[in-house]
Amino acid sequence: MNCPHAETDRAGRDAEVITIDPMVQDLDGETLRLRDAGVLARIDLLGVPAWAVTRHAEARQLLVDPRLVKDIDAWGAWRSGAVTRAWPLIGMIDAGRSMFTVDGAEHRRLRTKTSQALTPRRLEAIRPDIEKFTEELLDDLDAAQGEDGVVDLKAVFAQPLPMKVVGMLMGVDASQHAMLTRQYKAFFSMLTPQDERLALLAELDVFYAGLVREKTARPTDDLTSALILAEEGGEPLTEEEVVGNLKAMVAAGHETTIGLVLNAVRALLSHPGQLRKVLDGEIGWDAVIEETLRWDTPTTHLLMRFATEDIAVGDGVIRTGEGVVISYRAIGRDTEQHGPDADTFDITRPTRNRHLTFGHGPHICPGAALSRVEAGIALPALFARFPELRLAVPDEEITRLPVMTQNDMAAFPVLLG
């Protein structure tokens, strides 16, 4: 549960510790407690202490601070053995070598090919494919209604769409999409026993290694092949590096968009006046997408960076070897950045109130533009096909999955008309 308690920090000061609830029973309450705790909140992640950054300005600075690194070997708790592979969240940090786990020149080398594959030109080229997938899934949504007219918007529409898109980009056969969805769902869930979670990671490594070998032998026009094929004069990525990039990209590439689409629909259905402005053309869908990203972030907490030396932040100090979590949901509700009404969903909010939901600096999410394009196609198409779309249950009955890092719902039952 999100129950605060006290500990004495390394400077001898009493600090409130906020336990991040693995069951995600009160995300709004947890977000408020984190924000009220100050720029740096002392948190407990399943028994492991860390700092959570909760403010926009300080997060922006820290995300480009070279003293905070992704290298797990810089983490004091890992070096001392206080944290081992038995910790349920370790797979999100010690995830193999990829652009998500290294810094500096090595990060740039590992990231370049991915960035080249997701350029604005490339995204425009695949727009017809995304539109086609969207229309097919809207047909499925219509056909999937039960006798009572209820259908799960997540299972039938919001979840398969980004998996289809990222699968196409990576060259993953459609027959494997359902398997990958199940694997990642089990990996993120706090209900999955750790031995099973580690086995899932091993299975994913085997799957992606097989994909890499297949594309090495028979390259095609996809991101996997692009990662394998070195540019002239460039240093090729190892199989481990390609696998690491793929494993993380598929996870981030579909989970983020699921949350963005569902959170936008939920926000609009609970704010009918704002929905009407969008449907009447008074406000664009881009405003809906950006306000959703700020107000109800797809990623709640991003694990983890580590201090290579003491870093002063506000009134606190991150000590050498300590772990730092970027708490994007609290940052999105920062009243200093977004005004006293930061807890309010408002698509008319001034555009100057920029958010950091996709990160900032060298590690900014490489799939941010793709997620925006997908949502920008899916949301207007959904409401154009089903303008009377509404929740099938009271909003408070929608439950969140027990995922500590992603803002994900168990299901999203709706009525289409």
Side-chain angles (χ1 to χ4, degrees):
M1 302 298 291
N2 289 323
C3 300
H5 59 281
E7 74 169 22
T8 300
D9 68 17
R10 291 174 60 177
R13 300 164 298 181
D14 285 336
E16 178 184 84
V17 179
I18 299 172
T19 300
I20 304 301
D21 178 15
M23 295 297 105
V24 199
Q25 294 179 337
D26 181 18
L27 186 57
D28 287 339
E30 178 179 282
T31 298
L32 181 61
R33 284 188 287 277
L34 287 168
R35 189 179 66 189
D36 289 349
V39 174
L40 285 179
R42 197 64 170 155
I43 62 173
D44 179 287
L45 293 168
L46 300 178
V48 173
W51 291 106
V53 185
T54 69
R55 295 289 193 275
H56 180 104
E58 286 77 9
R60 187 179 174 89
Q61 292 173 353
L62 289 170
L63 286 168
V64 296
D65 194 320
R67 297 172 295 177
L68 277 181
V69 300
K70 290 294 196 80
D71 183 2
I72 192 173
D73 289 328
W75 191 14
W78 177 255
R79 292 198 308 269
S80 71
V83 173
T84 68
R85 296 287 291 174
W87 188 50
L89 298 174
I90 195 63
M92 300 181 193
I93 302 172
D94 185 27
R97 185 174 173 79
S98 75
M99 63 180 170
F100 297 92
T101 58
V102 299
D103 299 282
E106 279 300 278
H107 170 258
R108 290 190 292 274
R109 182 179 75 86
L110 293 175
R111 183 184 171 105
T112 297
K113 287 282 186 66
T114 301
S115 300
Q116 291 172 345
L118 296 174
T119 61
R121 178 178 295 181
R122 174 63 169 161
L123 294 182
E124 280 304 306
I126 66 170
R127 179 179 287 273
D129 295 294
I130 301 175
E131 292 171 344
K132 174 176 173 288
F133 294 151
T134 299
E135 289 303 317
E136 290 172 349
L137 290 171
L138 289 174
D139 290 341
D140 293 345
L141 197 64
D142 198 5
Q145 296 177 84
E147 293 183 2
D148 55 1
V150 177
V151 61
D152 183 356
L153 186 68
K154 177 182 178 179
V156 182
F157 182 72
Q159 185 168 270
L161 175 60
M163 182 56 78
K164 283 176 175 286
V165 175
V166 76
M168 176 187 68
L169 283 170
M170 305 295 180
V172 176
D173 190 86
S175 65
Q176 303 294 328
H177 292 179
M179 177 274 293
L180 288 174
T181 298
R182 290 193 303 272
Q183 296 284 77
Y184 281 107
K185 180 180 178 181
F187 168 72
F188 283 114
S189 174
M190 289 296 100
L191 298 178
T192 302
Q194 181 63 357
D195 58 342
E196 292 183 20
R197 183 178 290 106
L198 294 175
L200 287 173
L201 284 174
E203 290 171 11
L204 286 171
D205 283 340
V206 170
F207 170 78
Y208 286 117
L211 178 65
V212 171
R213 290 164 192 164
E214 175 188 332
K215 296 296 182 180
T216 300
R218 293 177 293 278
T220 53
D221 183 20
D222 54 55
L223 179 55
T224 302
S225 300
L227 290 172
I228 295 167
L229 299 173
E231 296 174 357
E232 184 177 352
E235 181 182 352
L237 274 61
T238 66
E239 180 178 293
E240 178 193 5
E241 290 169 341
V242 177
V243 167
N245 274 3
L246 290 174
K247 190 166 58 176
M249 277 294 294
V250 173
H254 82 281
E255 286 288 338
T256 299
T257 305
I258 293 170
L260 172 54
V261 170
L262 291 180
N263 292 343
V265 173
R266 186 179 188 181
L268 289 172
L269 294 182
S270 60
H271 297 80
Q274 296 189 52
L275 174 58
R276 179 44 51 196
K277 290 179 181 294
V278 178
L279 296 182
D280 288 346
E282 296 179 30
I283 297 177
W285 285 100
D286 57 337
V288 174
I289 291 169
E290 298 309 315
E291 179 65 352
T292 301
L293 287 168
R294 177 201 72 82
W295 183 70
D296 204 8
T297 56
T299 299
T300 48
H301 309 290
L302 187 64
L303 281 54
M304 188 183 292
R305 286 170 167 82
F306 312 103
T308 56
E309 60 183 83
D310 290 359
I311 305 173
V313 182
D315 295 331
V317 177
I318 303 167
R319 301 297 183 187
T320 303
E322 291 186 324
V324 178
V325 172
I326 310 298
S327 289
Y328 282 112
R329 200 169 192 272
I331 291 167
R333 304 289 184 95
D334 182 2
T335 55
E336 294 182 14
Q337 172 68 17
H338 301 292
D341 64 342
D343 287 321
T344 301
F345 178 78
D346 181 5
I347 58 177
T348 68
R349 190 176 300 278
T351 55
R352 66 177 181 275
N353 285 334
R354 303 299 296 171
H355 58 78
L356 295 176
T357 295
F358 285 118
H360 177 65
H363 283 281
I364 191 169
C365 177
L370 174 61
S371 188
R372 286 182 167 107
V373 168
E374 290 180 66
I377 292 171
L379 290 169
L382 173 66
F383 281 98
R385 177 79 74 91
F386 306 112
E388 302 302 318
L389 180 75
R390 61 192 186 279
L391 283 176
V393 298
D395 183 85
E396 60 270 17
E397 291 185 13
I398 295 176
T399 59
R400 300 185 188 277
L401 287 175
V403 178
M404 295 181 73
T405 55
Q406 306 296 324
N407 183 1
D408 202 355
M409 305 172 201
F412 198 81
V414 296
L415 294 165
L416 302 179

